[in-house]
Amino acid sequence: GQQVMQIPQYQHVQEGEDFTTYCNSSTTLSNIQWYKQRPGGHPVFLIQLVKSGEVKKQKRLTFQFGEAKKNSSLHITATQTTDVGTYFCAAGRGSTLGRLYFGRGTQLTVWP
Amino acid sequence: NAGVTQTPKFQVLKTGQSMTLQCAQDMNHNSMYWYRQDPGMGLRLIYYSASEGTTDKGEVPNGYNVSRLNKREFSLRLESAAPSQTSVYFCASSNNRDSIYEQYFGPGTRLTVT
């Protein structure tokens, strides 16, 4: 079954608006990763979060890991057309750290 | 470094035919993975190999077999293809680098079963 729930499934924004995607798990996670997939491309790693309450930034992207390590979010400030793609969260669990459980992704469309 | 390579890029099969998808990585990674991606379903793990000589089932292993030929290569075989196996298949590899388990993906194989 679906181990990690990700919402929304689709998001359409005008260039310059902000965007957020959320990931939730019913169980405590060892870590959470975020990937971006451009249309027609393959997933590309963005970041990994490990610590409770961790916040990391990459330019206009802000990643958060919840205090209970059961949820995470990716926020993009002032979207650009280059942000178009599908963003996936992927959860790691303690028993097999390398194996990931992917959310279904949020497909972001940015119109100028 | 080429990273992760996959062959073929595209394939059309008839129901009942068999084929093997090839994957190779040149990053000396221990772990390798096969995923399938269907619209709205995200990436679902078919099989993975935590290290050379070991393989384990993922979420959707039925209808597939794998071989970890050596540390570099991990192949996925469809013995009798079915239309439900129409999908995009991604191979990935990873290593534990400072406790970061980043996965590197290949370009994918787009498979259609008619």
Side-chain angles (χ1 to χ4, degrees), chain A residues 31-102:
Chain A
N31 62 74
I32 195 145
Q33 299 182 8
W34 287 91
Y35 290 78
K36 177 183 178 180
Q37 184 177 22
R38 295 182 186 276
H42 59 273
V44 175
F45 174 83
L46 294 176
I47 208 160
Q48 177 176 296
L49 304 173
V50 178
K51 299 176 184 175
S52 168
E54 190 169 14
V55 178
K56 288 189 176 180
K57 293 191 176 186
Q58 291 179 349
K59 297 183 180 177
R60 294 177 295 104
L61 278 62
T62 302
F63 304 86
Q64 294 189 343
F65 201 9
E67 293 289 342
K69 299 182 72 172
K70 289 185 177 181
N71 58 76
S72 181
S73 65
L74 158 59
H75 179 83
I76 302 178
T77 303
T79 54
Q80 300 175 358
T81 54
T82 54
D83 295 324
V84 164
T86 301
Y87 293 84
F88 293 98
C89 63
R93 301 186 191 280
S95 55
T96 50
L97 286 174
R99 175 177 175 173
L100 295 174
Y101 298 83
F102 279 82

Side-chain angles (χ1 to χ4, degrees), chain B residues 37-91:
Chain B
Q37 184 174 37
D38 303 294
M41 294 298 293
L43 290 151
R44 292 184 291 172
L45 184 65
I46 305 172
Y47 272 94
Y48 67 103
S49 171
S51 60
E52 186 179 355
T54 67
T55 60
D56 287 287
K57 294 179 180 179
E59 300 170 63
V60 288
N62 291 346
Y64 305 94
N65 285 301
V66 290
S67 295
R68 183 74 184 265
L69 305 169
N70 47 56
K71 192 170 186 179
R72 289 186 65 247
E73 299 170 288
F74 189 37
S75 62
L76 179 71
R77 182 159 179 85
L78 287 70
E79 290 290 353
S80 179
S84 60
Q85 294 178 305
T86 293
S87 189
V88 180
Y89 291 85
F90 287 103
C91 177

Side-chain angles (χ1 to χ4, degrees), chain B residues 16 26-29 53 55 59 69 84 114:
Chain B
D26 62 1
M27 297 174 282
N28 202 36
H29 285 173
T55 60
E59 300 170 63
L69 305 169
S84 60
T114 60

